[in-house]
């Protein structure tokens, strides 16, 4: 059983008193756990003063936050093609004293930035990739692509790393002055939408010396969860078939259609759905359907996502799909050319002690103060989408969630932060930079992400992140409890093992052709902060722009 020796010590002036036991995205958890807090850590006047200072310093970072959020939004890069994003963010980090290692774990756009020395080691991560065909002008409450057909930040991944960087800069400054021991490690979630980034980081050993990981993901509220999440585990795999071509009209009997094999495999999967557990999710796209109709397709390919509650169930789906692929090839006289796993992720399980400590900071910070323009954009977009016009949340609602009950886990999305959560105590902070009622993975989710809504939400999230970092730095008992929970509860009967084989490599070629097609046009819209105060100003967009309403 893995035990983490806590080797860091700290001045007694900062050390919080012993644990007080309460009486009586990320992913989300289950029930509202705010009334059943187990771990409470009494603060000190010194720690309270440091948190107040951190909050004030984050406010001073608001301009940098706005520029970072807008800049990454303008790059709009999908998984494994986040080159401009990587170049910009690493530049900001190096300017602020961090040492950067680029091309980490065999991924050209991955990096690790470090500062400090000794324990505790705190890692900060957030995703940076975006969604195909989700381009939309920010601050415009309807579908109006910036570049038609191009990718865009329809999942809001442009905001999380700016949040972490702002928090790290502020905490680093405090650590330097107070001579605090500790190491800060920042890393981006590469290709999260492909579920093909964090498992490689785990395999490379990024987290082997980390004490706590604070992950963050955009949402429309301010919250955190602990325990088993509601997310599904996932395997992403491509199945390629090989046949032989012929004239589709002149001699079709001489051809063996690889596309027929793809369609038979997909059809057999559809018939199988009736007999699958409710929690499973599976979806596919045909990535190669042949060249043109008058040629019997000699090659074809289908790309599947398989999702289920855990490793074993998800792997069973993958094995079943392999059988169907072989059967389809037999029926069509073709061959299964390649079966390639290109992405994977465990369902997340998050640290109760760290989540409960973060929740106390969420209550200190509270939701941002939205103005009439922010609410007008939110309600205008909700109206455009046919949703209830509730606007933006103005107070923390259900800021702490507990485990998702096994009996009611009926499936859903996935996030490869799950892999990280099974090798080191981890939480995911949700921060309020988007609008309630959006469908996810859609142009609508991009609309708020380079507006004051996103900027204010990142400021609030950065305050929570910085305060929680200070808790970890000054409260050894918190780290000890996090590892006790990890060893004695979370991993007592479940041990992490990767979906990927040791010989598998990151599929860094994904999205390359897409960006070769769209990047030349997208580059015209990169944000130039030296000429324009905000990205909205550069684009000439009046905030907010809504249908039927002149700003």
């Amino acid at each position: 059983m893995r035990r983490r020796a806590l080797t860091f010590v700290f001045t007694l002036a900062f050390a919080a008193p012993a644990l007080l036991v309460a009486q009586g995205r990320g992913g989300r958890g289950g029930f509202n756990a705010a009334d059943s807090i187990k771990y409470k850590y009494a603060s000190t006047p010194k720690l309270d003063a440091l948190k107040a200072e951190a909050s004030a310093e984050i406010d001073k970072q608001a301009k940098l936050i706005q520029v970072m959020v807008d800049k990454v939004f303008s790059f709009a890069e999908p998984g494994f093609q986040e080159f401009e994003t990587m170049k910009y963010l690493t530049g900001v980090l190096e300017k602020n004293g961090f040492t950067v290692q680029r091309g980490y774990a065999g991924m050209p756009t991955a990096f690790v930035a470090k500062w400090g020395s000794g324990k505790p080691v705190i890692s900060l991560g957030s995703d940076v990739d975006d969604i195909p065909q989700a381009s939309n002008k920010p601050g415009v409450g309807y579908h109006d692509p910036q570049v038609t057909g191009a990718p865009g930040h329809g999942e809001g991944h442009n905001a999380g790393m700016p949040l972490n960087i702002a928090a790290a800069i502020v905490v680093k400054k405090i650590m330097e002055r107070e001579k605090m021991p500790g190491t800060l490690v920042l890393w981006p979630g590469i290709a999260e939408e492909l579920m093909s980034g964090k498992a490689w980081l785990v395999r490379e050993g990024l987290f082997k010396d980390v004490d706590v990981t604070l992950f963050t993901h955009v949402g429309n509220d301010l919250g955190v969860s602990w325990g088993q999440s509601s997310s599904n585990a996932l395997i992403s795999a491509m199945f390629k078939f090989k046949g032989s071509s012929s004239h589709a009209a002149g001699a079709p009997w001489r051809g063996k259609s690889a596309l027929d094999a793809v369609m038979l495999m997909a059809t057999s999967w559809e018939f199988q759905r009736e007999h699958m557990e409710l929690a499973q999710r599976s979806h596919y796209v045909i990535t190669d359907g042949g060249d043109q109709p008058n040629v019997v397709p000699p090659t074809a390919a289908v790309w599947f996502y398989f999702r289920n509650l855990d490793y074993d169930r998800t792997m069973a789906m993958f094995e079943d799909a392999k059988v169907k692929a072989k059967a389809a090839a037999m029926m069509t006289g073709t061959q299964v050319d390649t079966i390639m796993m290109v992405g994977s992720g465990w369902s997340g399980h998050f640290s109760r002690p760290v989540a409960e400590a973060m929740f106390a900071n969420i209550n200190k910070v509270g939701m941002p103060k939205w103005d009439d323009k922010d609410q007008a954009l939110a309600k205008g977009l909700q109206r455009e989408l046919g949703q209830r016009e509730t606007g933006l949340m103005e107070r923390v609602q259900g800021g702490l969630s507990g485990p998702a009950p096994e009996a009611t886990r009926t499936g859903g999305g996935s996030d490869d932060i799950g892999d990280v959560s099974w090798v080191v105590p981890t939480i995911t902070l949700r921060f309020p930079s988007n609008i309630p009622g959006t469908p996810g993975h859609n142009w609508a989710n991009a609309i708020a992400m380079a507006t004051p809504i996103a900027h204010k939400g990142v400021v609030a999230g950065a305050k929570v992140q910085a305060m929680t970092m200070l808790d970890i730095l000054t409260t050894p008992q918190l780290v000890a409890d996090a590892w006790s929970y990890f060893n004695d509860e979370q991993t007592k009967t479940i041990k992490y093992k990767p979906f990927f084989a040791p010989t598998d490599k990151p599929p860094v070629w994904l999205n390359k052709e897409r960006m070769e097609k769209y990047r030349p046009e997208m580059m015209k819209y990169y944000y130039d902060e030296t000429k324009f105060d905000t990205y909205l100003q550069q684009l000439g967009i009046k905030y907010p722009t809504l249908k039927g309403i002149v700003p």
Side-chain angles (χ1 to χ4, degrees), residues 33-104:
D35 297 327
S36 59
I37 292 176
K38 178 179 180 181
Y39 300 90
K40 291 185 178 180
Y41 303 92
S43 188
T44 65
K46 182 67 174 182
L47 179 55
D48 289 340
L50 290 179
K51 288 184 178 183
E53 177 186 352
S55 179
E57 289 297 318
I58 292 293
D59 284 328
K60 294 178 184 179
Q61 296 285 336
K63 178 58 182 177
L64 174 61
I65 286 171
Q66 173 260 309
V67 170
M68 288 192 291
V69 169
D70 288 3
K71 194 87 168 180
V72 178
F73 181 92
S74 75
F75 297 143
E77 295 169 306
F80 291 121
Q81 305 305 314
E82 309 97 330
F83 291 100
E84 293 296 331
T85 301
M86 180 269 291
K87 180 180 177 182
Y88 172 67
L89 293 180
T90 55
V92 173
L93 286 160
E94 287 179 326
K95 183 179 178 180
N96 284 277
F98 287 79
T99 300
V100 176
Q101 179 182 353
R102 295 171 173 83
Y104 193 81

Side-chain angles (χ1 to χ4, degrees), residues 237-252:
M238 293 183 176
F239 298 80
K240 298 181 179 181
F241 295 85
K242 185 177 181 180
S244 59
S245 65
S246 69
H247 194 299

Side-chain angles (χ1 to χ4, degrees), residues 141-142 220 374-393 434-438 444 447 546:
Y142 47 86
N220 51 57
D374 302 329
Q375 292 288 9
L377 178 62
K379 292 179 180 179
L381 179 59
Q382 289 165 344
R383 181 169 58 252
E384 177 73 9
L385 297 174
Q387 302 295 303
R388 291 177 57 225
E389 294 180 35
T390 58
L392 301 167
M393 296 183 187
N434 219 318
I435 295 170
T438 51
I447 286 171
L546 304 171

